[in-house]
Amino acid sequence: MGQARTLARWALGAAAVAVVLLLTGLGGAGVLVLLGAFVGLACSAVGIWWFLAHRGPLRVAGALLAVGAPLAVLVMYAVWGPWLTALGALASWGVALVCARAALRLIRDANGGPARPRPKRRSRPKRPVLIMNPKSGGGKVAQFGLVERAEKLGARVVLIDPSVETDVAAIAREAVADGADLLGVAGGDGTQALVAAVAVEHDLPFLVISAGTRNHFALDLGLDRADPTTCLDALVDGEELRVDLGSVAGRAFVNTVSFGVYADVVQHPEYRDAKAGTAVEVLPDLLQGGGGDRLDAIADGVRLPAQQALLVSNNAYAAPDPFGAAVGRRPRLDGGKLGVIAVRVDGAAQAAEMAVLGTQSTGLNVLTAARVEVTGKAAAPVPPPASALVPEQAPAPGAPGTIAVAVDGEALTLPTPVVCTLRPRALRVLVPRHRPGVIEPQPPLDWRRITEIAFQTTSRSSGS
């Protein structure tokens, strides 16, 4: 395909210009400037580690280093005056990424590669039942008049009482027994997952209303998080998507399951009202004092020993890309694979390595798997460095054979081993036809493939 070949050549040319500008456009200081940037990044990571893992003077020093290192790099740039050259290199690199992705998309589309399935139009549900949490998202149900809007569209609304413990799954099953032909939730991801499991059990469509705090599931469905009333448009003009539903120890999840440090922090009752403060107070005990769990896991046969943090997601999150639209998002929810991010940082040096090398560092594993098994706590905890500040009293470890787990942000304790799997395309999600946040899955950025496209003949590139 001639257009793809042209774009691939533009991508390679722009990337070459960026490299030449960095290495020669800055004069003899070009390499030194690049080295200084990497050193500043590593020092900032060390500072963040000291701030999170220690208390007292070392925490203060960490905060100063985390802020001071990037400022020092900016001062260095200002003194040597490479601003225009650096901006030119950044612009060239941006052009290279845009052209490379466009070329790969053209080749993928021409070859019939995987694309987002077209949603199916669905008739209007006759007896929809929507479960709403009035406290979710700081009171979005009342703020946006969701009850009145839903009832006007013919839905029956069940308001749960946030002051008492409520079994939302039982409410959903009762609604099904009464003849509901659609189940929906205005609430957080944890509540969404519980009702979604009932919808799958009875093969009913499910409606997501973005009335939670973060609304990760709604975000990745392309729904409007700023105005949850638009989600109700699906009741009169809806399309049906088939998406995967995660399962952890038999409990459904729509977003993530966290093990290790984050799960331990979430267990503290004060976390819900003071997230940042609680994390800063508790993390030194978990990272250095031996209070946190080190966990052994297996992802499709790949062993992940003594991990400090393990995040398992319903489909993988997009890789960081400053020029991409999918940062912090899952480009698709029907890929049939769990996303896995495993982190093990044993000290400041490894934190610096991770900041510089990313997924190539020894402490970070990013992969996908059909099955993830957390077998339990690591048999031999890694001792803290001699310089670590040992807390006077560390939190008591969990009971033998159990570990802390955060399922869609909800704190649980589960017996080991804990198994995470997916039910591919099991959930029927009814969405409005207009979804402003929909993004097309991006092909992986492969520069070897870009080079092949750039120097292929037209006949080969169109048929490859």
Side-chain angles (χ1 to χ4, degrees):
M1 183 181 292
Q3 188 177 2
R5 188 176 67 253
T6 301
L7 287 168
R9 290 177 176 177
W10 271 98
L12 292 176
V17 169
V19 173
V20 169
L21 283 174
L22 285 174
L23 296 181
T24 64
L26 300 177
V31 175
L32 190 58
V33 167
L34 284 176
L35 180 61
F38 282 114
V39 171
L41 180 63
C43 289
S44 183
V46 170
I48 292 171
W49 172 260
W50 285 350
F51 178 79
L52 294 177
H54 298 280
R55 293 189 176 92
L58 199 53
R59 168 169 279 184
V60 175
L64 293 175
L65 184 60
V67 176
L71 289 178
V73 172
L74 291 177
V75 170
M76 178 183 67
Y77 281 7
V79 170
W80 285 341
W83 286 105
L84 291 178
T85 302
L87 288 175
L90 183 63
S92 296
W93 184 244
V95 170
L97 290 179
V98 170
C99 291
R101 290 207 182 278
L104 290 170
R105 279 197 303 271
L106 285 173
I107 292 295
R108 180 194 65 185
D109 295 344
N111 293 338
R116 187 183 300 273
R118 293 182 63 85
K120 297 180 180 178
R121 292 291 301 274
R122 287 301 179 192
S123 58
R124 183 170 180 168
K126 296 180 174 60
R127 302 189 65 182
V129 175
L130 307 180
I131 301 171
M132 298 190 182
N133 181 353
K135 281 194 67 175
S136 186
K140 288 183 179 178
V141 169
Q143 179 184 349
F144 288 93
L146 294 177
V147 174
E148 295 78 7
R149 168 73 172 158
E151 290 178 342
K152 189 176 296 185
L153 294 174
R156 180 167 73 88
V157 176
V158 179
L159 279 176
I160 62 177
D161 185 352
S163 64
V164 299
E165 188 172 348
T166 305
D167 187 344
V168 293
I171 294 175
R173 290 191 179 93
E174 183 179 345
V176 174
D178 290 341
D181 60 355
L182 175 141
L183 296 174
V185 173
D189 285 345
T191 308
Q192 299 277 0
L194 294 173
V195 179
V198 178
V200 169
E201 180 184 336
H202 297 277
D203 193 29
L204 292 178
F206 179 68
L207 178 65
V208 177
I209 304 171
S210 56
T213 302
R214 294 179 180 84
N215 300 297
H216 285 299
F217 191 41
L219 170 67
D220 295 331
L221 288 169
L223 301 175
D224 188 346
R225 296 188 299 166
D227 184 4
T229 61
T230 58
C231 302
L232 296 172
D233 294 343
L235 293 174
V236 293
D237 188 16
E239 300 175 328
E240 184 178 294
L241 301 174
R242 283 277 185 174
V243 305
D244 305 334
L245 185 64
S247 174
V248 52
R251 177 190 173 109
F253 70 94
V254 295
N255 186 31
T256 58
V257 180
S258 297
F259 305 86
V261 171
Y262 174 72
D264 288 329
V265 171
V266 172
Q267 300 294 320
H268 289 71
E270 60 271 24
Y271 174 78
R272 188 165 296 276
D273 295 324
K275 291 180 173 59
T278 303
V280 169
E281 177 61 29
V282 171
L283 279 174
D285 298 335
L286 300 177
L287 296 176
Q288 292 281 9
D293 292 337
R294 289 292 185 104
L295 301 170
D296 294 329
I298 302 173
D300 279 359
V302 177
R303 295 190 175 276
L304 303 168
Q307 301 299 305
Q308 280 173 307
L310 184 68
L311 180 75
V312 179
S313 57
N314 175 5
N315 284 262
Y317 277 82
D321 179 358
F323 296 97
V327 176
R329 296 184 59 173
R330 292 166 289 178
R332 61 188 309 163
L333 293 168
D334 59 352
K337 289 280 190 177
L338 297 164
V340 183
I341 301 175
V343 180
R344 174 177 173 174
V345 182
D346 294 327
Q350 197 165 17
E353 178 199 15
M354 190 177 296
V356 174
L357 299 181
T359 56
Q360 301 304 310
S361 67
T362 57
L364 178 64
N365 286 283
V366 180
L367 62 154
T368 59
R371 183 180 188 273
V372 178
E373 179 179 352
V374 182
T375 56
K377 298 180 183 179
V382 179
S387 60
L389 301 181
V390 180
E392 295 180 2
Q393 184 177 6
T402 64
I403 56 173
V405 184
V407 181
D408 285 332
E410 300 294 328
L412 300 173
T413 301
L414 298 176
T416 55
V418 179
V419 177
C420 301
T421 56
L422 270 186
R423 299 179 63 181
R425 299 173 60 85
L427 181 61
R428 301 167 53 192
V429 182
L430 192 68
V431 295
R433 277 204 300 159
H434 175 65
R435 289 176 289 143
V438 172
I439 58 171
E440 283 297 325
Q442 296 290 329
L445 190 57
D446 184 345
W447 286 103
R448 179 179 298 179
R449 180 67 178 135
I450 290 296
T451 304
E452 291 175 356
I453 296 170
F455 294 102
Q456 283 174 348
T457 63
T458 303
S459 59
R460 286 185 62 197
S461 63
S462 60
S464 60

